[in-house]
Amino acid sequence: MNLPALRGHNEALVLELLRGAGPAGLGRTELAARTGLTPQAVSKITARLGADGLVAEAGRAASTGGKPRTLLRLVPDVRHAVGVHLDRDALRAVRVDLAGRVVAESGGPLDFAAGPEAAVEAVVRAVGRVGAHAGPPLVGVGVAAPGPLDHRAGVMGRVTGFPSWKGFPLKGVLEGRLGLPVLLDKDTNAGAAAAAGAWLRSTWPEAGAGADAYADAGRGAGAGAGAGVGVGPGAGADVGPGVGAGGDVLLGGGPRTCVYLHVGTGLGAGLWLGGGVYRGARSAAGEFGHQVLLLDGPPCRCGARGCVEVLCLEAVARGDLPAAARIVGEAAANLVALLDVDRVLLGGRVVAAAPDVFVAGVGAVLAARALDPARPVVALAGAGVAEGAAEMALAPLFGRG
Amino acid sequence: MNLPALRGHNEALVLELLRGAGPAGLGRTELAARTGLTPQAVSKITARLGADGLVAEAGRAASTGGKPRTLLRLVPDVRHAVGVHLDRDALRAVRVDLAGRVVAESGGPLDFAAGPEAAVEAVVRAVGRVGAHAGPPLVGVGVAAPGPLDHRAGVMGRVTGFPSWKGFPLKGVLEGRLGLPVLLDKDTNAGAAAAAGAWLRSTWPEAGAGADAYADAGRGAGAGAGAGVGVGPGAGADVGPGVGAGGDVLLGGGPRTCVYLHVGTGLGAGLWLGGGVYRGARSAAGEFGHQVLLLDGPPCRCGARGCVEVLCLEAVARGDLPAAARIVGEAAANLVALLDVDRVLLGGRVVAAAPDVFVAGVGAVLAARALDPARPVVALAGAGVAEGAAEMALAPLFGRG
DNA sequence: GCACTTCGGCAACACTGTTGCCAAAGTGGT
DNA sequence: ACCACTTTGGCAACAGTGTTGCCGAAGTGC
């Protein structure tokens, strides 16, 4: 770590806290206390961020016996990011602001089998549709694709059924075409990032309707319970001393843990542990489908017997979705107990076919087996994978790169 | 992060690399390349560390076409740490050097039911036996105790069967008595730290026999395959250019992942993920015993059916240890696949009763179900929990506090 | 013997967060 | 209305970080 890196680190720390605080903002003194920096250092850092337009004043808090603190808040519209969900038969791109709120989206069918070159064109077009208009600069593009793939190198792996993709350097090619930093990751990891992002977003009201001008597709199912009421930004003045519940969400207690469970042709999991995606020693973490749940059960294609995958897909094949949901729920409960998970998001084709059955079925098992019945929260990922990819593109700005 | 913290961070980075390199050492240029710092910065940092006695020159490497690099190595004997394993019926304390090698140990029976005050006296006596003699300063004391407990506050939780311990501030009391920093953590987490520490230790030869003068108990079973041959320290000069395999272990590929599985009156797991112990959002991670492995199986005391714990303990009760090992193995394989684990350590009373049966049984299942048959490595934790506690006390020095 | 490469130290430097000081802007008691 | 007190936050000088430019030392290879 050198001096420029230190500077970036502290700026990211401040931005992360301000993001968590929402439009109400935070005082400099509070930032100093939470970052461990001196008030003077915070003043210098926020002055730089203010000069870049990333941070603005947001009124004053009530006095606590002296001069009232000047609240600072993140200006979400000064930078955007794009997230792309590259699926086996569809593509969806979203443009989000710094708070992670969708301001534009675009989507359509995609023939994954047509090969990587055609998909690159489709991605470039989709990014152009959500991002080519006049608007704030893009900090990067996150791309979520079916695994396995090499996240660090940005190279695709062997996607079952699509041999032409193996070894394709998607990150490099897209960076060349778009002239922007590109992050490539598994769709399940992006799902986990979306689950984590939902917390961060939760302190911000919905994006203003005016920004939606160039959306060309309807909004998806949304990622669970939103804040609902839209209080225009900049309205947060005179908020008592106990502000910053959002910040507490980030720093209080342990780090938040989210899991995304994908139920499609196979079962996979994305893990968000301790403030970032957990990929394991060889980027192979998240193998959830071949968890044995019924010793000596029916044989699975993986060679073992009684895997979640074979049990779940058998239940789906015979049309018994509640049974499939219960099986996923038991496996999810194993995972939740092992990793002390806060939030579970469900996604994938099978879930999308009967979302209520799965959310209710998985939720029931988790509630029955969890130590704390209020956790974990189960929700539907909906169209959230692209949002998660955008979240990953945003992450470096907030020190989670 | 402020300037002193930056300084400490970079010093820790260098120390960590030097620890991984073993007695052979590393050149300044290599340190610069791996830390991302400039050679000048590395020179300043190593000069400071050299003045403190933590780092010394270790000969010169072969030239690569210019002036040969001066190798630097960690001086393990300049600081020590103590690890204490506080078990339900025994206590074991080890004194380790900076490489994590045991230089003294002490152990004996302990009546956990006699209450915390008596145990504090026992810990203080044991630390005195391994640490009161003239020797290098101690950086801290790690204490591993039966969970649950509050790691951050250092307060004991409700240990089943020992109500007098609930809420006892062990960390604070011991710090007062010993005048040293004390870290309190669950025994399973210490086991995971021991598993991870085995890698770090592996580049160092066994500690010299001379240092064992005041050991008063025989060594335990050891933590798996040791390096074996004891080459005295300081012998490593003139090692070709491709040095530092130990350092690659730390930085190459993804972070190493270790798991400790405890099989005793219950089953628990300690997780070492991404360079540190993973505790989860509410320090509840590692709940391994109530993983459901047989849907609708026999009822468990936790309320669910078919948990690993009930299956395993049933097999143990009827004397079928291979079956018990197979059950633990299947559950371990689920965990290994989910988290992409490199190394599994087995410990606990049940394992200790028939170590070979469990290592072979668990290993067979893992080999059958793992993607890479060479991983994960299964080994016996032996007496390693105290070593893990010492490893945790050492961790802040190497930037993993 | 010479050109070249590589290592590593010295001094000056740019930039970080910190300290000491002070003005501004409130509250609350008299 | 006044004054003492608290709290916020900026200005200037400062200590300490890693960085740059330069140079000598110590090897290799032609």
Side-chain angles (χ1 to χ4, degrees), chain B:
Chain B
M1 169 97 62
N2 53 21
L3 250 13
L6 174 65
R7 169 189 170 133
H9 172 83
N10 285 339
E11 288 181 355
L13 225 53
V14 169
L15 285 175
E16 166 109 340
L17 286 170
L18 289 179
R19 185 185 184 189
L26 236 46
R28 288 182 179 80
T29 312
E30 200 157 4
L31 287 172
R34 296 223 194 154
T35 56
L37 295 167
T38 60
Q40 294 297 351
V42 170
S43 279
K44 277 191 181 178
I45 291 166
T46 54
R48 286 198 305 256
L49 294 174
D52 291 346
L54 287 164
V55 162
E57 297 199 351
R60 320 185 126 189
S63 165
T64 59
K67 174 175 175 178
R69 54 189 61 169
T70 312
L71 294 170
L72 299 171
R73 72 177 182 88
L74 183 65
V75 181
D77 283 320
V78 80
R79 298 282 144 80
H80 283 173
V82 171
V84 178
H85 183 192
L86 199 60
D87 209 350
R88 287 182 178 77
D89 58 2
L91 181 146
R92 180 164 174 267
V94 297
R95 180 178 184 124
V96 303
D97 66 15
L98 290 183
R101 299 175 297 188
V102 175
V103 293
E105 61 180 319
S106 164
L110 174 80
D111 182 10
F112 203 76
E117 288 79 9
V120 164
E121 295 308 321
V123 171
V124 171
R125 274 198 308 273
V127 172
R129 275 199 299 274
V130 297
H133 302 69
L138 296 176
V139 298
V141 176
V143 177
L149 49 80
D150 181 339
H151 161 262
R152 297 177 69 173
V155 173
M156 297 290 289
R158 176 189 40 78
V159 184
T160 34
F162 304 94
S164 64
W165 279 85
K166 185 173 190 310
F168 185 74
L170 187 55
K171 171 187 160 84
V173 170
L174 280 176
E175 282 180 338
R177 291 293 302 275
L178 296 170
L180 288 168
V182 172
L183 270 81
L184 176 66
D185 210 338
K186 288 197 280 198
D187 45 12
T188 49
N189 287 341
W199 253 308
L200 302 167
R201 264 195 301 280
S202 64
T203 47
W204 292 86
E206 293 282 322
D212 272 309
Y214 36 86
D216 65 9
R219 283 283 184 82
V229 194
V231 195
D238 276 327
V239 221
V243 212
D248 289 335
V249 166
L250 291 174
L251 293 181
R256 298 293 161 175
T257 301
C258 300
V259 167
Y260 171 81
L261 296 181
H262 184 92
V263 187
T265 50
L267 277 83
L271 310 176
W272 177 279
L273 310 179
V277 171
Y278 177 78
R279 299 188 178 84
R282 283 163 297 284
S283 289
E287 182 48 69
F288 173 75
H290 299 291
Q291 175 185 153
V292 169
L293 204 59
L294 182 62
L295 277 177
D296 304 318
C300 176
R301 56 176 179 172
C302 75
R305 305 175 62 129
C307 296
V308 192
E309 182 170 310
V310 66
L311 297 176
C312 176
L313 296 186
E314 265 187 14
V316 171
R318 67 173 184 264
D320 190 350
L321 292 185
R326 186 235 166 175
I327 287 163
V328 172
E330 294 284 356
N334 286 350
L335 189 162
V336 163
L338 183 70
L339 296 175
D340 194 8
V341 172
D342 293 296
R343 189 187 192 96
V344 175
L345 245 72
L346 300 174
R349 209 154 307 278
V350 172
V351 170
D356 297 342
V357 174
F358 275 89
V359 169
V362 172
V365 178
L366 287 178
R369 283 185 50 196
L371 288 81
D372 177 356
R375 293 170 199 272
V377 177
V378 181
L380 197 65
V385 173
E387 279 86 339
E391 187 66 39
M392 293 182 352
L394 237 30
L397 205 60
F398 299 104
R400 282 170 290 135

